[in-house]
Amino acid sequence: MISPGSVYVAMGSSFAAGPGIKPLVDKAAGRSERNYAHLVAAALDLRLVDVTYSGATTANLLSEPQNGAAPQIEAVAPETRLVTITAGGNDLEYIGTFLRGSMMNTLAKPAMLLGRRVANRIRARVSYLKAQSEYDAAAASLTEVVTKVQERAPQSRILLVDYLTLVGPATRPRLDVPLNEEQLPSIGFIADGLAQAFATAAEKTGADLIAASAASREHAIGSVEPWTTGFALRPGAAPYHPNAAGMAAVADLILQKLRSE
């Protein structure tokens, strides 16, 4: 168990930052005061250093500044006792692929007035295929992030927190999301590859895996109690991202893990 007052560093992309969940403590980063890191820190009375940033890749965690923000690894110090990591989705353009496909299909509907050829040309702008080498690279990058954290904070507890499930058994093509029967399974394939990347990194480094993906399969888009948002074009919306219930659920998974020990 992590002692009260210990330093907790939260690293990751938007699935950790929480854009769209008010109130935001950093608008540029899309970082919510109700993201899982803040909820965990409050529950365990930890000193939180939250450097999560929407749009971050594993490179932004390791070495590349993002919009003026230092690489996230620099927040980890010898006194750090807990680190959570949720990243890799942007390396695979996971949410970007889902968003572009949804946008293109939405735009293709009015384009049908100009003819089927024009509409099909719009839809064809999105590729849903990812090579195995891309998943392997994501796993290798996550492994490197954990290794660097271990070097900087040898006494830290490291949790790899993977991504909440977006497409599950209840998600209906065309009805719940603007993807068709052929496109929608491809999003699930990317999600599975990303989850495997986390599992591989955990196995190689000894970090603990918080499998939010598995825990949320019955809470995907289209379910009775979804833990993520659907597709929306309104201002301020964060399509295909954790909602407040999802963030709370991830925090509970982390707390259960830490308290069980």
Side-chain angles (χ1 to χ4, degrees):
M1 187 67 178
I2 309 298
S3 301
S6 297
V7 176
Y8 165 26
V9 175
M11 305 170 66
S13 61
S14 55
F15 264 56
I21 302 175
K22 296 180 179 180
L24 293 180
V25 293
D26 189 320
K27 188 174 181 180
R31 189 182 303 140
S32 172
E33 193 177 81
R34 302 295 295 171
N35 64 17
Y36 73 68
H38 279 80
L39 298 177
V40 169
L44 299 181
D45 192 21
L46 304 178
R47 293 162 52 200
L48 176 63
V49 181
D50 187 355
V51 291
T52 58
Y53 208 110
S54 297
T57 64
T58 52
N60 296 128
L61 272 63
L62 287 166
S63 59
E64 295 183 6
Q66 184 181 7
N67 298 332
Q72 295 182 25
I73 192 71
E74 293 187 12
V76 179
E79 65 270 19
T80 303
R81 291 296 179 268
L82 176 64
V83 178
T84 53
I85 302 166
T86 301
N90 290 319
D91 297 48
L92 295 167
E93 295 190 322
Y94 171 36
I95 305 304
T97 298
F98 204 173
L99 282 171
R100 285 193 298 274
S102 299
M103 180 70 75
M104 293 300 100
N105 283 0
T106 301
L107 294 175
K109 289 182 179 180
M112 283 293 290
L113 297 175
L114 301 176
R116 185 174 297 275
R117 180 176 297 179
V118 175
N120 288 339
R121 190 174 300 167
I122 291 175
R123 293 191 184 99
R125 293 177 184 174
V126 180
S127 173
Y128 298 91
L129 300 177
K130 306 294 177 185
Q132 182 58 45
S133 60
E134 296 179 81
Y135 298 115
D136 294 341
S141 292
L142 285 169
T143 299
E144 185 179 359
V145 172
V146 174
T147 300
K148 294 297 184 184
V149 170
Q150 291 169 333
E151 292 173 355
R152 295 176 69 95
Q155 298 183 58
S156 63
R157 179 72 179 278
I158 304 171
L159 304 181
L160 282 166
V161 185
D162 75 2
Y163 286 57
L164 287 169
T165 292
L166 292 166
V167 175
T171 310
R172 299 168 298 176
R174 302 178 190 270
L175 297 176
D176 297 318
V177 294
L179 268 64
N180 63 34
E181 292 81 358
E182 294 180 356
Q183 297 164 334
L184 189 59
S186 297
I187 299 300
F189 294 153
I190 300 174
D192 290 344
L194 179 58
Q196 184 56 53
F198 272 83
T200 298
E203 182 179 1
K204 288 185 175 181
T205 61
D208 287 305
L209 175 64
I210 304 297
S213 57
S216 58
R217 276 186 54 80
E218 301 302 322
H219 294 276
I221 298 169
S223 65
V224 176
E225 297 181 20
W227 287 351
T228 57
T229 59
F231 182 66
L233 296 176
R234 65 181 181 277
Y240 302 145
H241 276 78
N243 57 24
M247 276 296 183
V250 174
D252 285 343
L253 291 172
I254 295 171
L255 290 170
Q256 288 171 20
K257 179 66 175 177
L258 295 176
R259 286 169 171 164
S260 68
E261 301 165 358

